Amino acid sequence: MTLTETPVDVVAHGSGNVPKGPRVNPLDRGRKRLFGWFVAPAAILYAAFLIVPGLVTLWISVNKWPGAGPMTFVGVGNYRAIFKDPTFVASFRNTLTILFGVGIVTFLLAFVMMLTLRDLRGRKFIRMVIFFPNIAPGVLLAIVWGFLFQQKGMINQALGWLGVAHPPAWLAEDTLFLVVMAGLVWISTGFYTTILMAAVDRIPPHLFEECELAGATAFQRLRYVILPLTWDVIGVASILWTISSIKIFEFLYAFAGGAGYLPPLKIWNTSIYAYAEAFAAVGTPRFGTAAATSVVMMVLVIAAVGLLGRLFRRDPIEL
């Protein structure tokens, strides 16, 4: 080795030993191996029940298939067919109406109830009562809600006691979808009120005491304390609502259909449309268009969740 050569130069010219990298702690290697063993079963199940069915659905969506026998590749023909189908367009519009219309009303009511119940005695009991619709099966809720709005149901009987001689036919075609939306608000409000109340409970009480000493109004407490400190929870709740609202099926099916009958077209969403195409279509089942509808729904969910994720992304506030 010359005076101008460094030990690294010597190694690079092959006149020394190969440099050794940082030593790996055997304990760390064991932890990584153990982590792999724990993750592997979940990864296998995730691939078997989510990724593989998703890929199969994507493949069926580009084929014409009656559910048995060979498939006929049609490319994007199924997608063109559903977007030209007025029933799908109406179902897609209903899905968006439930997503935004029912969602906005639900969250506004949940906020009002959270602010109202926050300082009340017996709030835990009230929270349990309003949460009850989320415990009962959706089919049961649909039956109960339908009985309430029948021509001789409790709603019209109450209107009769109030002097309304000719109460409306709530389940007629013109008002049926409004009744369904009201039912979804009834089911969902308690769930999101509970989430918001739990989020507010984690705010340190001294912040509200300081607001009271400073003479802050209820709106100022909401704007400068509650909203900033519960923003992440509101984001998660919005994502939960987006995912669940686009996939609603059993309530719509059991409310005005059930027992092998599809509900009226007026209240179809994309889930009912996909079911009808696959299992209840007149003539040959159309699994290809049903799969294409499912792919459109999945893309809608991913886009909406991604948008909400960016909207509610914020650095955590240290209390």
Side-chain angles (χ1 to χ4, degrees):
M1 182 174 69
T2 64
L3 294 176
T4 58
E5 285 182 317
T6 65
V8 175
D9 296 331
V10 174
V11 171
H13 288 86
S15 56
N17 297 328
V18 177
K20 297 180 180 179
R23 295 186 60 185
V24 178
N25 190 334
L27 185 60
D28 292 339
R29 193 182 299 124
R31 286 174 178 171
K32 290 179 179 178
R33 190 179 297 115
L34 186 63
F35 177 76
W37 279 110
F38 276 112
V39 169
I44 293 172
L45 291 175
Y46 182 81
F49 293 101
L50 287 176
I51 295 179
V52 173
L55 294 175
V56 171
T57 302
L58 188 62
W59 173 245
I60 295 175
S61 72
V62 293
N63 285 274
K64 185 177 181 181
W65 190 46
M71 298 181 182
T72 304
F73 184 76
V74 294
V76 294
N78 288 327
Y79 294 93
R80 279 201 296 262
I82 62 173
F83 279 105
K84 289 181 180 178
D85 186 354
T87 304
F88 172 80
V89 175
S91 303
F92 191 74
R93 187 168 55 242
N94 285 346
T95 300
L96 294 181
T97 303
I98 292 173
L99 171 62
F100 293 106
V102 177
I104 290 173
V105 174
T106 297
F107 274 81
L108 286 177
L109 286 176
F111 260 103
V112 171
M113 294 183 70
M114 178 268 293
L115 294 173
T116 304
L117 298 176
R118 193 170 65 85
D119 298 324
L120 285 182
R121 288 186 176 180
R123 58 197 297 264
K124 291 184 178 179
F125 175 74
I126 298 174
R127 185 165 56 184
M128 183 179 64
V129 171
I130 62 176
F131 190 78
F132 176 76
N134 295 276
I135 300 174
V139 174
L140 175 62
L141 296 173
I143 294 173
V144 171
W145 196 250
F147 273 124
L148 290 176
F149 285 92
Q150 284 184 351
Q151 193 61 34
K152 295 184 179 179
M154 289 183 61
I155 301 298
N156 280 352
Q157 287 188 14
L159 291 176
W161 294 334
L162 294 174
V164 179
H166 302 286
W170 297 104
L171 302 185
E173 186 176 351
D174 294 339
T175 55
L176 181 60
F177 190 58
L178 286 176
V179 173
V180 169
M181 293 174 67
L184 295 174
V185 170
W186 166 60
I187 295 172
S188 308
T189 300
F191 178 74
Y192 292 102
T193 301
T194 303
I195 291 179
L196 293 178
M197 290 176 70
V200 171
D201 285 346
R202 71 178 185 176
I203 299 176
H206 69 83
L207 292 179
F208 292 109
E209 294 171 0
E210 292 175 2
C211 288
E212 189 173 349
L213 291 175
T217 64
F219 178 74
Q220 289 173 328
R221 288 201 301 270
L222 175 66
R223 180 180 178 183
Y224 296 110
V225 177
I226 295 177
L227 283 180
L229 295 179
T230 59
W231 192 249
D232 55 339
V233 178
I234 297 172
V236 173
S238 302
I239 291 174
L240 289 176
W241 167 253
T242 299
I243 296 173
S244 62
S245 65
I246 294 176
K247 299 189 301 181
I248 288 174
F249 177 81
E250 58 180 356
F251 185 82
L252 299 179
Y253 182 77
F255 181 74
Y261 297 97
L262 288 171
L265 291 174
K266 193 76 175 181
I267 65 171
W268 278 27
N269 66 347
T270 45
S271 296
I272 299 289
Y273 179 85
Y275 171 79
E277 288 291 298
F279 301 107
V282 177
T284 305
R286 297 183 286 268
F287 277 84
T289 50
T293 305
S294 301
V295 172
V296 171
M297 292 167 60
M298 185 170 59
V299 171
L300 178 62
V301 169
I302 294 173
V305 170
L307 184 63
L308 288 172
R310 293 182 62 86
L311 179 64
F312 286 95
R313 185 170 57 190
R314 176 182 289 183
D315 294 334
I317 299 176
E318 296 184 2
L319 300 177

